[in-house]
Amino acid sequence: MLQDLSLKFDKILKKVTGQGKLTEKNISDTIREIRRILLDADVNFKVTKEFIESVSIKAMGQEVLASLSPGQLLTKIFFDELVTLLGTENVSLKLNATGVTVIMVVGLQGSGKTTFCGKLANKLKGQGRKPLLVAADIYRPAAIEQLVALGDAISVPVFRLEEKDARKIARESVQEAIAKGHNTVIIDTAGRLHVDEALMKEIVDIKEIVQPQEILFVVDSMTGQDAVNSAKAFHDQVDFDGIVLTKMDGDAKGGCALSIRSVVGKPIKYISNGEKVDALEVFFPDRLASRILGKGDVVSLVEKVQSEFDESEAEELEEKLRKNKFDFEDFLKQIKMIKKMGSLSSIMAMIPGIPAQLKNANIDDNALVRIEAIIRSMTKEERMKPKILNGSRRSRIARGSGTSIQDVNRLVKQFGDMQTMMSRMTKRGGFR
Amino acid sequence: MKLFKNVNFDKLKESLSKTRDKIVNRITETISGKVKIDSEILDEIEEILLTSDIGFDTSYQIIEDVKKRLTGEKDRGEAAIMNIVKDVIYDLLISGGSRDEYQPAIETKKPFVILVIGINGVGKTTTIGKLAHNFKSSGLKVIIGAGDTFRVAANEQLEVWAQRAGVEIVKKDKGSDPSSVAYETVQTAVKGNYDVVIIDTAGRLHTKHNLMEELKKINRVIQKVVPNAPHETFLVLDGATGQNAVAQAQEFSSSVPITGLVITKLDGTAKGGAVIQICAKQKQPVRFIGVGEDIQDLQTFSPREFVNALFD
């Protein structure tokens, strides 16, 4: 019913204002721009296409209750959907309270696995766990030395073997952890291309051997369109549990995170920036969403909407309209809200019905000020029961608000018309 | 003297076969069986270009060029359109200065100084190892400067590559001034009559101002020993990088003059778009590509062969 009512309002608005409504042209412009933004941010082409299609369909059915331009409204919708898709909350690691927890770190070459392993060990150590780092990258020259040096720097022991057998290293590292009382094992595997069958087999085997609680896929935030291929290949092989996004301290938009999320559906668990051991952050989807959309005004727009446009108030308003209990008190509330938004066209959006009655009237900012002054000069009782407004009350209100009695009469009349219209609408179930 | 004889086109084709599948086969699918090219087909080409990281602007530039060249063409068959797309991309590569016949001008300068720069994890050290191997195999006396004094175990990693290539290395303790490493390496090269000097640098994000300043300093210090050096400054880019590669090329070249690009990790799935984009936008030539883990897996970049490998 409420939804239905909103649609009716929408119709009126479209008829009356000629703006503040989602015309196909308006939407297509914004969609084209958003498509470009997403592609430039390295969101995969197919993901971009599907995302835009699904969001557009949703947006087309939306009512125009927010005091925004169509483009702004649509951008806001895209932003919200982006946040939802990126994951609404941070998902922490699955760490066993007792026994040994094994965390396996996988990814392409140069994505930042070894550095991340050091940081993760440092973080978990800070949380009171006893980590053991495992140097299982037997291919890259000095990878083991790198991990050993990182371990030294944070005073976390590193398990290593002279033998170049990653499977054996993994197996024995868990035994070592049990023997030496470590409750967390972090295995740094070698970087590998997802098309390298032999090396992909290696991590599948290691997974089988150590049965990790967590497998983390480390990905460079600068990765382009190919991110979906590599992530999917890793996911198909080892079914990783979470994503670590690195090098976000550069200026890459990080759109690949969206691609990967939508392809594998696993949460982004950490942001790993820089080489300092404490540079490990939890993930905030809204930050990444605004980074991907890439506009300062998107963020401020969203903030504006979130602070000014109270969803529940809007619903309350609808409810009141439906029950024909919309009074001057509500009207005033709406005007305040509108003034905060700073746009006169907002009247049309926030107070549906009014424009239909005022379609020929020129509403300017002064009119709004006058209306507010008039309502403010009413007593509470008058605001709630406009019917009691007799001649002497109206004359008092006109004096108090610095307006003429005609102004007051007009407002009361228009308000009455609106209420009548509302009640007709609710009784009949809508306009034709 | 012909350097880098190891260019193996079969291997190049093989490693680019996925790219080829993506770009060419899909264009073929799109175009085959249709007599005349219409906007729908061009839209499909757009999709294909975009999924190859060629980027929004460059993709449109290519499409516009193809459209333009098609207007005078009577033959709008598949093969003709393929050739036009091919030519357009080839021209973009050439416009950046990439050349089939590229040779580092080793004979003209001694020592010939090469500076290798790039962000973290793109494969600088590996590229240096491969470069050193190639120069050494050509009978040249090579020395490497371990200028990444920042990352843990960077020295050790480069040392392994130096050993593999059989070349000398100058290194200092972690945390030393990289400029002093560069200085010492170049000085050793002059005194020891070396042909080629390759200076490694720490990976740095192009957005870190102080680290970019450090690069300038390295450049200045090298010039104190050998004026006009470095003779080549190679920016190493990860082949899997998306649109940010353009920003990297822009930012690095605004701090030190880049003379060529090296694109690594092209042995994975479908890449190469970044190459085209950077050549077109920044007029930078691509000099080498990395197509594997082995020491011989560095190839001189040949735009003709590159395009041919894509479209064969």
Side-chain angles (χ1 to χ4, degrees):
Chain A
M1 175 60 208
L2 284 182
Q3 197 66 25
D4 187 44
L5 194 65
S6 307
L7 288 172
K8 307 297 184 245
F9 293 156
D10 201 9
K11 272 187 187 169
I12 298 166
L13 286 172
K14 278 178 183 168
K15 233 185 283 173
V16 175
T17 62
Q19 60 168 1
K21 62 184 181 183
L22 301 182
T23 69
E24 262 183 42
K25 176 70 179 161
N26 279 337
I27 283 183
S28 77
D29 282 349
T30 308
I31 282 171
R32 203 171 301 134
E33 180 59 20
I34 284 171
R35 176 171 177 267
R36 188 201 175 105
I37 287 169
L38 293 177
L39 287 168
D40 278 345
D42 291 324
V43 178
N44 178 267
F45 184 86
K46 283 206 184 87
V47 174
T48 299
K49 202 175 170 187
E50 285 165 15
F51 179 63
I52 285 182
E53 272 172 15
S54 69
V55 177
S56 304
I57 289 166
K58 270 191 192 173
M60 287 304 269
Q62 288 226 3
E63 83 290 348
V64 197
L65 263 177
S67 348
L68 298 166
S69 76
Q72 286 175 319
L73 178 65
L74 197 61
T75 308
K76 160 85 168 100
I77 293 166
F78 269 104
F79 177 86
D80 290 344
E81 291 293 324
L82 203 51
V83 172
T84 308
L85 196 56
L86 285 169
T88 41
E89 62 194 66
N90 195 266
V91 184
S92 50
L93 295 178
K94 298 186 288 280
L95 297 171
N96 294 347
T98 56
V100 178
T101 302
V102 179
I103 301 165
M104 194 174 152
V105 179
V106 301
L108 299 171
Q109 291 102 332
S111 53
K113 285 176 301 302
T114 305
T115 307
F116 167 72
C117 285
K119 291 178 187 178
L120 183 63
N122 187 48
K123 192 178 191 96
L124 294 178
K125 191 184 164 214
Q127 292 170 2
R129 296 192 70 93
K130 279 194 73 186
L132 175 69
L133 282 162
V134 181
D137 182 355
I138 52 174
Y139 305 99
R140 182 165 63 94
I144 292 171
E145 287 78 0
Q146 188 186 348
L147 193 67
V148 168
L150 279 169
D152 281 351
I154 55 171
S155 304
V156 170
V158 177
F159 182 82
R160 59 185 293 186
L161 289 179
E162 289 308 314
E163 284 162 273
K164 290 205 173 290
D165 183 343
R167 296 169 179 86
K168 189 175 177 191
I169 292 168
R171 183 183 301 116
E172 292 190 7
S173 72
V174 180
Q175 293 160 1
E176 167 102 351
I178 295 166
K180 298 243 173 98
H182 294 281
N183 59 8
T184 316
V185 175
I186 301 169
I187 303 176
D188 179 29
T189 65
R192 64 202 73 217
L193 278 173
H194 51 289
V195 292
D196 189 327
E197 284 175 24
L199 282 181
M200 291 305 280
K201 176 79 167 56
E202 185 192 82
I203 48 170
V204 172
D205 290 350
I206 292 175
K207 181 189 176 182
E208 194 60 37
I209 292 164
V210 301
Q211 301 286 324
Q213 276 68 40
E214 283 274 349
I215 301 177
L216 297 173
F217 177 66
V218 180
V219 65
D220 184 334
S221 61
M222 299 173 187
T223 312
Q225 297 284 319
D226 198 49
V228 290
N229 300 327
S230 47
K232 192 169 184 310
F234 271 92
H235 193 254
D236 288 349
Q237 293 291 321
V238 297
D239 188 23
F240 56 75
D241 304 278
I243 299 157
V244 178
L245 206 52
T246 63
K247 306 180 200 173
M248 285 288 281
D249 46 339
D251 55 356
K253 301 282 190 190
C256 65
L258 179 66
S259 309
I260 297 171
R261 274 282 311 183
S262 52
V263 170
V264 304
K266 291 293 162 69
I268 298 157
K269 296 203 170 180
Y270 289 106
I271 304 284
S272 174
N273 287 336
E275 311 212 13
K276 298 205 170 65
V277 287
D278 55 352
L280 192 62
E281 295 162 24
V282 292
F283 170 68
F284 293 100
D286 51 340
R287 284 188 200 166
L288 185 59
S290 38
R291 184 167 174 149
I292 289 171
L293 284 180
K295 284 173 161 180
D297 58 329
V298 170
V299 184
S300 55
L301 168 72
V302 169
E303 281 169 358
K304 195 168 104 171
V305 172
Q306 277 162 355
S307 60
E308 311 301 353
F309 179 70
D310 189 326
E311 196 83 25
S312 61
E313 254 180 76
E315 274 173 24
E316 194 186 312
L317 169 67
E318 283 189 3
E319 185 66 17
K320 284 193 167 185
L321 286 171
R322 199 164 63 84
K323 292 184 177 163
N324 207 13
K325 281 185 180 165
F326 184 78
D327 58 30
F328 274 117
E329 192 69 9
D330 300 307
F331 199 176
L332 192 62
K333 227 185 263 173
Q334 296 311 310
I335 290 174
K336 276 189 210 156
M337 210 188 266
I338 290 155
K339 280 175 71 185
K340 275 197 271 180
M341 300 293 294
S343 140
L344 198 58
S345 65
S346 311
I347 290 183
M348 313 303 173
M350 299 299 282
I351 316 174
I354 288 278
Q357 300 303 308
L358 300 179
K359 64 171 104 177
N360 297 319
N362 274 329
I363 299 184
D364 55 22
D365 280 316
N366 286 334
L368 199 59
V369 170
R370 238 182 351 258
I371 290 168
E372 194 184 351
I374 292 170
I375 299 173
R376 283 189 181 284
S377 297
M378 294 176 187
T379 65
K380 194 139 195 151
E381 197 191 0
E382 286 164 353
R383 290 180 203 175
M384 287 162 79
K385 295 179 196 161
K387 277 178 187 158
I388 64 169
L389 286 168
N390 56 23
S392 75
R393 282 177 191 267
R394 290 181 193 208
S395 153
R396 193 204 77 242
I397 291 164
R399 278 199 309 277
S401 59
T403 57
S404 67
I405 197 153
Q406 285 82 8
D407 287 332
V408 179
N409 285 340
R410 197 181 304 128
L411 180 66
V412 175
K413 168 90 167 58
Q414 283 165 350
F415 191 78
D417 288 349
M418 189 188 77
Q419 280 188 318
T420 311
M421 185 190 71
M422 287 302 149
S423 82
R424 240 187 317 183
M425 190 165 79
T426 41
K427 272 178 205 147
R428 271 203 288 158
F431 292 107
R432 289 287 135 194
Chain B
M1 180 174 59
K2 172 81 176 158
L3 294 169
F4 297 95
K5 287 171 187 158
N6 63 315
V7 177
N8 176 339
F9 295 131
D10 289 338
K11 175 132 195 182
L12 176 59
K13 279 180 194 173
E14 184 196 319
S15 71
L16 290 170
S17 63
K18 301 255 165 48
T19 313
R20 192 171 66 234
D21 286 351
K22 203 163 183 180
I23 294 186
V24 182
N25 293 350
R26 286 168 56 189
I27 290 177
T28 311
E29 280 170 21
T30 305
I31 291 164
S32 62
K34 294 186 183 168
V35 184
K36 68 173 190 179
I37 185 161
D38 59 19
S39 58
E40 249 176 60
I41 292 170
L42 286 172
D43 285 349
E44 284 293 312
I45 293 172
E46 171 202 299
E47 170 177 351
I48 292 156
L49 297 176
L50 287 170
T51 51
S52 305
D53 284 322
I54 291 177
F56 207 87
D57 292 344
T58 308
S59 294
Y60 280 100
Q61 190 187 335
I62 292 169
I63 288 168
E64 285 310 305
D65 285 1
V66 170
K67 275 182 185 168
K68 245 180 248 167
R69 292 190 199 188
L70 267 175
T71 46
E73 294 288 325
K74 277 184 183 166
D75 181 3
R76 295 190 180 182
E78 180 193 321
I81 293 169
M82 296 287 268
N83 280 332
I84 289 169
V85 179
K86 198 157 120 180
D87 284 351
V88 168
I89 295 175
Y90 176 77
D91 288 350
L92 289 178
L93 293 173
I94 291 299
S95 76
S98 300
R99 294 289 180 271
D100 288 86
E101 64 275 19
Y102 165 75
Q103 290 283 306
I106 306 286
E107 309 89 336
T108 58
K109 278 106 182 175
K110 193 170 178 173
F112 189 84
V113 183
I114 298 170
L115 183 66
V116 179
I117 59 177
I119 70 154
N120 320 59
V122 290
K124 284 180 298 302
T125 305
T126 307
T127 299
I128 288 167
K130 292 171 179 177
L131 274 174
H133 165 80
N134 278 305
F135 286 123
K136 172 80 177 178
S137 312
S138 304
L140 297 166
K141 200 175 172 190
V142 184
I143 190 165
I144 296 174
D148 182 354
T149 56
F150 183 71
R151 206 196 66 195
V152 175
N155 273 352
E156 287 80 353
Q157 187 184 354
L158 194 60
E159 225 171 347
V160 172
W161 280 107
Q163 276 165 16
R164 285 180 188 173
V167 302
E168 296 301 310
I169 180 167
V170 173
K171 53 175 185 163
K172 286 195 171 187
D173 289 344
K174 181 177 174 296
S176 311
D177 183 356
S179 305
S180 74
V181 177
Y183 185 82
E184 209 168 288
T185 312
V186 180
Q187 217 173 29
T188 309
V190 171
K191 282 183 191 156
N193 207 27
Y194 281 82
D195 299 297
V196 182
V197 182
I198 310 173
I199 309 283
D200 190 13
T201 59
R204 67 201 69 219
L205 287 176
H206 50 292
T207 50
K208 306 270 191 231
H209 178 73
N210 56 335
L211 292 178
M212 297 309 274
E213 288 299 312
E214 186 185 88
L215 275 187
K216 290 183 191 171
K217 187 181 170 192
I218 293 171
N219 238 21
R220 284 197 302 271
V221 163
I222 292 171
Q223 281 164 7
K224 278 185 189 162
V225 187
V226 181
N228 301 320
H231 306 101
E232 291 274 20
T233 299
F234 292 134
L235 173 68
V236 183
L237 297 165
D238 185 328
T241 300
Q243 302 311 300
N244 196 253
V246 180
Q248 289 171 31
Q250 258 163 10
E251 290 303 316
F252 272 98
S253 62
S254 71
S255 69
V256 291
I258 293 168
T259 61
L261 306 170
V262 178
I263 316 294
T264 61
K265 308 182 197 175
L266 280 179
D267 46 337
T269 35
K271 292 136 203 159
V275 182
I276 296 159
Q277 184 167 205
I278 293 161
C279 288
K281 277 194 176 172
Q282 271 138 247
K283 303 299 169 202
Q284 295 279 5
V286 185
R287 294 311 192 197
F288 301 103
I289 61 171
V291 291
E293 301 265 333
D294 292 335
I295 200 159
Q296 68 272 12
D297 286 338
L298 184 77
Q299 303 178 350
T300 41
F301 178 81
S302 158
R304 181 54 76 190
E305 287 303 322
F306 181 78
V307 177
N308 283 344
L310 288 178
F311 286 80
D312 269 354

